[in-house]
Amino acid sequence: MKLLYDFFDYASITGYDENHTEYSIRLNAKHSIYQDHFPGNPVTPGVCIIQIVKELVSENRNRRLVLKKIAKVRYFKSINPVEYPVIFVSLTVADTDEGDCNVVATVFSGDVTFTQLSMALGRMG
Amino acid sequence: MNDDEMNDINVRELLPQQGKFVMIDWLRHIDETSVVSSMTVDKDNIFVDDDIFSESGIIENIAQTAAARMGYIGKYIDKKGVRIGVIGEIKNLVIERCPHIGEELTTSVEITAEIFSTLMIQAKVNIDNELIAHGSMKIALIDS
């Protein structure tokens, strides 16, 4: 599954330093996923938020990464793509000596925090 | 209902997710504290990329296994409609490897606590005897 340029797209990228980047992304409310999740009630699937963060880190580090471990992901509020067509992802990435990336991310819009993620991504295979 | 009779259940009637977002094929077992589902990875599955079923697909499979149990209780025991369940929290979830097309996932979910509309679960995903993912999750039922 690849969601970038299909389910979501970049609106802007702000790099604070090598390890801290803030993205604003635009959700595609017309995507077929929203017709099935759920019929008549579009909600961004929690797993797609994890996937979006994985793809943003992969782009950020310019290599394909896989999810190895979730320390914790907390969903505070669901994201309706019509109500929130543009959302923000604040990303902090720490590279380990083994070539993994430890990622802390917050998905938000203004004062509203949707999701907080803390997870480890690693190389493919 | 015994395990053989579970083969007659259409999981789509137990889940609010529809169409291509249904991420389990069958229920294999349900009891007071657990539920087991199975799913074979199809090449047309929306979570498949380069013949590999993604980590997010595995997590969705776990969540829907728990949701199907809620749907089963809603339909057959409480005789009410299917409510929408969303993931509230994921904790200490490890992905050992991602499945390939054609492999069958057997997902076992233990209910560790059920508080009002929130379910705490512990999940194991196996391919044959190989444990490919495990972790815990909190699922919340919401009124749509």
Side-chain angles (χ1 to χ4, degrees):
Chain A
M1 151 182 269
K2 184 154 191 270
L3 297 179
L4 183 58
Y5 306 126
D6 181 24
F7 185 78
F8 78 102
D9 210 337
Y10 297 120
S12 72
I13 304 174
T14 310
Y16 293 103
D17 60 46
E18 196 184 320
N19 297 322
H20 182 201
T21 312
E22 190 173 293
Y23 297 85
S24 64
I25 61 170
R26 192 171 285 110
L27 297 169
N28 176 8
K30 292 192 169 66
H31 196 280
S32 63
I33 283 177
Y34 285 120
Q35 290 163 22
D36 294 331
H37 192 285
F38 302 95
N41 181 15
V43 173
T44 306
V47 297
C48 290
I49 298 169
I50 295 172
Q51 178 75 20
I52 286 170
V53 171
K54 185 186 89 167
E55 291 184 17
L56 290 176
V57 179
S58 294
E59 291 289 319
N60 187 278
R61 287 303 194 245
N62 199 23
R63 56 197 176 104
R64 280 189 79 174
L65 295 163
V66 290
L67 174 64
K68 294 176 80 172
K69 184 178 177 179
I70 287 175
K72 197 175 201 176
V73 176
R74 294 182 76 188
Y75 298 94
F76 299 100
K77 182 176 165 56
S78 334
I79 305 170
N80 177 321
V82 179
E83 191 181 354
Y84 295 101
V86 175
I87 56 173
F88 295 81
V89 182
S90 167
L91 206 63
T92 305
V93 181
D95 300 296
T96 71
D97 292 340
E98 291 77 33
D100 292 348
C101 294
N102 290 327
V103 177
V104 175
T106 302
V107 183
F108 66 100
S109 174
D111 292 340
V112 183
T113 299
F114 300 111
T115 315
Q116 279 178 348
L117 309 92
S118 165
M119 57 197 198
L121 305 180
R123 73 186 86 211
M124 293 277 283
Chain B
M1 198 176 283
N2 68 39
D3 290 359
D4 285 340
E5 289 169 327
M6 306 238 91
N7 293 331
D8 297 331
I9 294 177
N10 179 358
V11 294
R12 288 170 188 267
E13 293 176 4
L14 305 181
L15 294 169
Q17 293 86 353
Q18 288 301 311
K20 287 173 182 272
F21 217 82
V22 174
M23 222 37 64
I24 58 175
D25 292 341
W26 302 101
L27 284 178
R28 295 300 185 194
H29 177 80
I30 282 188
D31 62 32
E32 291 294 306
T33 57
S34 72
V35 50
V36 181
S37 77
S38 67
M39 189 197 79
T40 302
V41 179
D42 187 86
K43 65 173 168 47
D44 295 326
N45 188 300
I46 55 162
F47 286 96
V48 166
D49 199 19
D50 290 340
D51 293 351
I52 304 284
F53 185 62
S54 76
E55 315 89 308
S56 35
I58 298 173
I59 299 168
E60 186 63 25
N61 167 264
I62 294 171
Q64 288 190 19
T65 301
R69 180 184 178 276
M70 295 173 172
Y72 176 91
I73 290 168
K75 183 176 163 84
Y76 292 103
I77 296 169
D78 297 340
K79 312 281 185 198
K80 288 179 187 161
V82 173
R83 294 167 70 191
I84 289 180
V86 295
I87 304 172
E89 186 177 290
I90 304 170
K91 219 170 158 182
N92 296 330
L93 186 133
V94 175
I95 309 277
E96 303 288 354
R97 77 163 171 97
C98 288
H100 297 260
I101 288 175
E103 287 188 312
E104 188 187 43
L105 282 62
T106 301
T107 303
S108 309
V109 166
E110 296 283 331
I111 318 295
T112 52
E114 198 164 2
I115 305 153
F116 299 111
S117 292
T118 304
L119 211 58
M120 314 280 282
I121 64 162
Q122 180 71 39
K124 287 190 173 112
V125 183
N126 277 78
I127 294 173
D128 297 320
N129 290 323
E130 181 191 2
L131 182 66
I132 63 144
H134 54 93
S136 58
M137 225 181 257
K138 196 187 280 183
I139 310 227
L141 285 172
I142 55 171
D143 293 303
S144 55

